[in-house]
Amino acid sequence: MAAEVAAEVAEQPVESNGAEPVTGTSAPDASEHILGLRGRIDEIDRELIALWQERAALSQQVGRTRMASGGTRLVLSREREILDRFREALGADGTQLALLLLRAGRGPL
């Protein structure tokens, strides 16, 4: 399903003739509604990026503090807890998201 959506999106132009954004419909009311929804999506994306960066920085501080005090680089039980939390809330995609978040904070294994 995701591959089908990605292929469909890739085929659509981002802008029409360089001026108006493409909404996928010629109905003015629907286009206006879509643009409003996209505006909120863009706001959410900015918030997610800022939270991602903050989380990664905090996680890096935890790791530096733990290692400076003679602790281990990783606490696997903590990583498992995070993976479980995301999987329970979001399913299989949650696991993938959690893995990306963990990597952003600690680096690759």
Side-chain angles (χ1 to χ4, degrees):
M1 170 97 175
E4 294 167 357
V5 171
E8 184 178 321
V9 169
E11 292 175 6
Q12 296 179 1
V14 175
E15 295 185 8
S16 64
N17 68 24
E20 294 289 321
V22 172
T23 61
T25 181
S26 59
D29 290 344
S31 287
E32 185 176 327
H33 184 65
I34 288 168
L35 292 174
L37 294 171
R38 286 180 178 172
R40 179 62 182 135
I41 288 170
D42 291 345
E43 290 173 12
I44 291 169
D45 287 349
R46 284 189 291 277
E47 292 175 34
L48 286 170
I49 290 167
L51 288 169
W52 180 287
Q53 292 169 331
E54 180 182 4
R55 188 193 189 287
L58 290 168
S59 182
Q60 291 165 8
Q61 287 180 350
V62 167
R64 284 193 300 271
T65 302
R66 187 174 46 246
M67 290 176 61
S69 66
T72 60
R73 178 173 175 251
L74 299 174
V75 176
L76 294 178
S77 61
R78 173 66 177 159
E79 291 206 359
R80 172 59 53 199
E81 179 185 319
I82 293 165
L83 287 166
D84 290 346
R85 180 182 323 135
F86 276 77
R87 185 183 63 251
E88 287 172 14
L90 303 172
D93 288 340
T95 300
Q96 294 302 310
L97 178 58
L99 288 168
L100 290 169
L101 285 168
L102 290 169
R103 183 179 177 144
R106 62 149 154 72
L109 292 177

